[in-house]
Amino acid sequence: MKKGVHTEVMVLRCMYIELSIAAVNQLLDIYRSYYPEEYHIHRVKKDDLLNGIRTSCHFLNRDPIGGFYSFQGITFRKERSEVPKEVHMYLSNGNQYPYWKIALANARNKFYLEDYPMTIVEANMALEGFIYEHIYDRLKGIVTKEYIDNFLHNYSPCNKCEYRKNSEATELVVKPSHPSIHQVIKFMYTKAPLPSFKSYKSLDKHIKKITEHRNHIVHGNKPPTISRDYAQNALNSLEQLINESISTCVYY
């Protein structure tokens, strides 16, 4: 084989491997999102893919586990070896699987691994991803999409966006910016409330169980010790919010 042809073949093989890994990882993300109890499954690396697929799982020379498949240590039930029809249809229509579901699976996995600070970080990623997606479904028929877009992208704490307009002092301009997640939640749930929360104040208290220490952890401002109970409470609060929001949404 000529050197140029050999190089081209190697490039194509590398591209094929990279695309294969991306496809496998997308399926794994969907699998662990679709089946919440499978949060512990990790993405594969190039070495995992090249070492091939094993159809049984061995632990310390024991017999294979019946009823399971294993792919380089990723064990899953045989009855779940096919992509669910609704997921297949969703992806066939060119849709991207919601990232907040993947972040929620990541949060569960971090909790399982006893990494409680990262449990909080992933939980907040799931919260924000869910809220920014859910707001359009929840407020459909209440306000227009343009109204929501304007709030999310042109929010300002000042109606006029200017202070001291007629003053000799230097003009101060408040430029439009993205609202905080608490402001978005207040905007949405005051227009379409959740039945189990009697007021926005009680809802905000619930949300703070998830968001309270997020900035301290992310920005390294001497974050407090995140206990197992605290992380568990944050996860429970997040899942309650998501489940109730979906179950009470007319257009979901």
Side-chain angles (χ1 to χ4, degrees), residues 184-222:
V184 176
I185 288 171
K186 183 177 183 179
F187 174 84
M188 174 168 59
Y189 289 113
T190 51
K191 299 181 186 302
L194 291 173
S196 65
F197 296 96
K198 297 180 180 180
S199 65
Y200 170 71
K201 185 176 180 180
S202 63
L203 174 61
D204 189 55
K205 184 177 180 180
H206 182 85
I207 298 297
K208 285 179 179 176
K209 295 177 183 178
I210 309 166
T211 63
E212 184 179 11
H213 296 310
R214 181 262 185 198
N215 285 346
H216 291 291
I217 297 169
V218 172
H219 299 297
N221 299 327
K222 294 183 180 179

Side-chain angles (χ1 to χ4, degrees), residues 41-236:
I41 291 178
H42 290 174
R43 290 177 141 227
V44 298
K45 306 182 297 296
K46 185 180 291 186
D47 290 345
D48 298 326
L49 195 65
L50 294 179
N51 286 338
I53 298 175
R54 297 178 295 175
T55 56
S56 62
C57 185
H58 296 268
F59 292 98
L60 301 177
N61 297 320
R62 296 177 184 175
D63 293 332
I65 300 175
F68 287 84
Y69 284 127
S70 179
F71 175 81
Q72 282 302 108
I74 300 173
T75 307
F76 55 94
R77 296 184 178 92
K78 288 182 178 179
E79 66 269 18
R80 295 183 178 179
S81 60
E82 296 183 3
V83 178
K85 290 183 179 179
E86 47 266 58
V87 174
H88 185 274
M89 291 177 62
Y90 188 88
L91 294 176
S92 297
N93 292 330
N95 297 316
Q96 186 175 359
Y97 211 69
Y99 185 77
W100 66 263
K101 292 187 177 183
I102 298 172
L104 180 56
N106 289 340
R108 293 186 181 118
N109 187 50
K110 292 299 182 183
F111 182 80
Y112 171 75
L113 296 174
E114 300 184 5
D115 187 347
Y116 304 131
M118 282 307 299
T119 300
I120 300 301
V121 172
E122 293 285 359
N124 275 271
M125 291 174 66
L127 171 66
E128 295 193 24
F130 172 75
I131 292 298
Y132 277 96
E133 177 185 296
H134 183 66
I135 189 171
Y136 290 95
D137 291 324
R138 190 165 196 84
L139 297 186
K140 188 175 182 179
I142 299 175
V143 297
T144 64
K145 180 180 180 298
E146 291 72 22
Y147 187 85
I148 297 172
D149 287 340
N150 185 65
F151 172 77
L152 293 178
H153 304 296
N154 296 301
Y155 173 84
S156 173
C158 168
N159 290 331
K160 296 182 179 179
C161 294
E162 293 180 358
Y163 290 110
R164 304 178 183 175
K165 188 171 184 179
N166 299 319
S167 171
E168 294 180 358
T170 303
E171 186 178 83
L172 300 178
V173 179
V174 181
K175 296 181 179 179
S177 62
H178 294 285
S180 70
I181 189 63
H182 287 273
Q183 290 164 333
V184 176
I185 288 171
K186 183 177 183 179
F187 174 84
M188 174 168 59
Y189 289 113
T190 51
K191 299 181 186 302
L194 291 173
S196 65
F197 296 96
K198 297 180 180 180
S199 65
Y200 170 71
K201 185 176 180 180
S202 63
L203 174 61
D204 189 55
K205 184 177 180 180
H206 182 85
I207 298 297
K208 285 179 179 176
K209 295 177 183 178
I210 309 166
T211 63
E212 184 179 11
H213 296 310
R214 181 262 185 198
N215 285 346
H216 291 291
I217 297 169
V218 172
H219 299 297
N221 299 327
K222 294 183 180 179
T225 300
I226 305 299
S227 67
R228 177 185 177 86
D229 288 343
Y230 181 89
Q232 181 71 78
N233 194 22
L235 265 180
N236 291 344

